[in-house]
Amino acid sequence: LWGTLSALWALDAGLALWTAAEWWVVVAVYLSVVNGGEDWRALLPLVGPLLVVELMIGASQMAIGSTLTSGILLRWGKDFRVGDPGASYLLNDVGQPLLRAYGTTEHPNHLAAFAGVLALILLGVWLAGPKSQAGRWRAGGGLVLSVMLLGTTFSRGGWIAFSLAAAYVLICGLREGRGRVVAAVGLMIATASLFFFGFGPWIAQRIAPSEAAWVEIKSLQDRALVAEGAWELFRAKPALGVGLGNYMQGAVEHLSGQVKAPVHNTMAMALSELGLMGGVLVVGLYARVIWLAWRARADLAAAVGVALALGLLVANAFDLYAWGLAPGRLFLGLLCGFCASDSAGVDSKST
């Protein structure tokens, strides 16, 4: 509602109204699942084949240094190759390049979100203890594949978000049995160790880049400039912001030397577009998810749903797709609806 009202003072009223309409679709998605009784986990049999396909495509992209494979499959108009403007790749300490895995998505960070979501769901399935041997193999194998796929994206935000959300799920899973938790931790550590053994030099530069990794250094410098620009934009219109969806219009009008690109932080984006009220709304969302996490701690299924929302919000401390991209907003609405639905289920259970 506040975003819709921002059209009254937005730099581009039409853009604000259009973006607000997209947010109302998110509200509709939320309401469509908040009281639904459908078991969305019925899609799990499709997870294994999807993971295998994405992992094979991502591995081939890293091997040849190009998104050619997904371009052929999806008829993309352009290949991203190592060194191309806009391509997301890494350099190790001797300057050897490595393309981050795109899979069938438009950016490695989007693939990281896909892999992280599946990894959390499969972690919950594993901790719940499938009764059949085949079920245990599917859950364990899917967990390994999804963690491996998350690794190939080299998404720092994805890694941090998944680690925190997985830690929460593991703590909640202790009620199901310590053995399952220990086994899950062992599977994930073994997978991460294998990945580090193969790509350690690039991982090290991703975490603490040296002068040889100039691509990484430039990326961090650009992000710092963009964050500085977001702060200047907020200072220019602190009370009301520049209007929902008007971040780039505000950057063009109010910023001079800073990089004119969307800031990769949900809080900064909300403050810039909606002013102080936007910050209050984002803080309220985070507080609500944390409260739901506390209430869902005794129910593993509800805990996994909350962990998905928690992971998405943590990842968007380093990215923008939950606020700035329509598919990300829809996903946020879907997860919040599931969280509320699972929370209602927890409340209805007898103690």
Side-chain angles (χ1 to χ4, degrees), residues 116-340:
V117 165
L118 292 186
L120 286 172
I121 293 174
L122 288 163
L123 176 60
V125 173
W126 172 271
L127 294 176
K131 296 180 180 180
S132 66
Q133 185 72 19
R136 288 191 290 272
W137 275 102
R138 283 197 297 268
L143 179 60
V144 168
L145 289 176
S146 54
V147 171
M148 191 177 298
L149 181 62
L150 177 61
T152 63
T153 66
F154 290 89
S155 171
R156 288 169 300 204
W159 291 349
I160 294 171
F162 173 73
S163 298
L164 293 176
Y168 166 72
V169 173
L170 289 168
I171 292 172
C172 296
L174 288 172
R175 293 174 175 269
E176 305 294 330
R178 293 181 182 271
R180 296 173 186 171
V181 172
V182 171
V185 171
L187 279 174
M188 291 188 289
I189 289 179
T191 304
S193 299
L194 181 63
F195 181 76
F196 186 85
F197 178 78
F199 300 100
W202 289 276
I203 295 174
Q205 295 303 310
R206 188 69 169 153
I207 297 172
S210 65
E211 292 184 3
W214 60 268
V215 173
E216 195 64 35
I217 293 175
K218 184 178 185 303
S219 174
L220 293 174
Q221 290 173 342
D222 287 347
R223 285 199 177 214
L225 288 173
V226 170
E228 182 182 341
W231 172 242
E232 292 299 324
L233 196 57
F234 169 67
R235 289 179 61 187
K237 289 182 171 289
L240 300 175
V242 296
L244 188 66
N246 277 254
Y247 183 91
M248 290 305 299
Q249 282 74 6
V252 171
E253 180 170 324
H254 294 284
L255 304 183
S256 55
Q258 290 87 355
V259 176
K260 294 179 178 63
V263 63
H264 283 48
N265 181 279
T266 298
M267 175 62 77
M269 184 76 80
L271 286 169
S272 300
E273 292 190 355
L274 297 179
L276 289 172
M277 180 58 73
V280 171
L281 292 172
V282 172
V283 170
L285 177 61
Y286 275 84
R288 177 63 175 170
V289 172
I290 292 172
W291 171 240
L292 288 175
W294 172 254
R295 293 173 62 187
R297 67 192 185 279
D299 186 288
L300 184 59
V304 172
V306 174
L308 291 171
L310 183 64
L312 180 65
L313 293 177
V314 170
N316 278 266
F318 312 95
D319 218 307
L320 52 80
Y321 44 78
W323 182 275
L325 299 178
R329 292 194 289 264
L330 288 171
F331 186 51
L332 177 63
L334 191 66
L335 289 182
C336 288
F338 283 138
C339 284

Side-chain angles (χ1 to χ4, degrees), residues 11-64:
L11 298 176
D12 187 329
L15 181 58
L17 287 173
W18 178 260
T19 308
E22 292 181 339
W23 273 105
W24 283 113
V25 174
V26 174
V27 174
V29 170
Y30 170 86
L31 294 175
S32 70
V33 299
V34 70
N35 294 317
E38 297 296 326
D39 188 5
W40 56 286
R41 298 164 188 82
L43 296 175
L44 281 178
L46 300 175
V47 167
L50 282 174
L51 280 172
V52 171
V53 169
E54 291 287 356
L55 195 55
M56 290 177 63
I57 292 176
S60 68
Q61 292 166 343
M62 296 170 68
I64 66 176

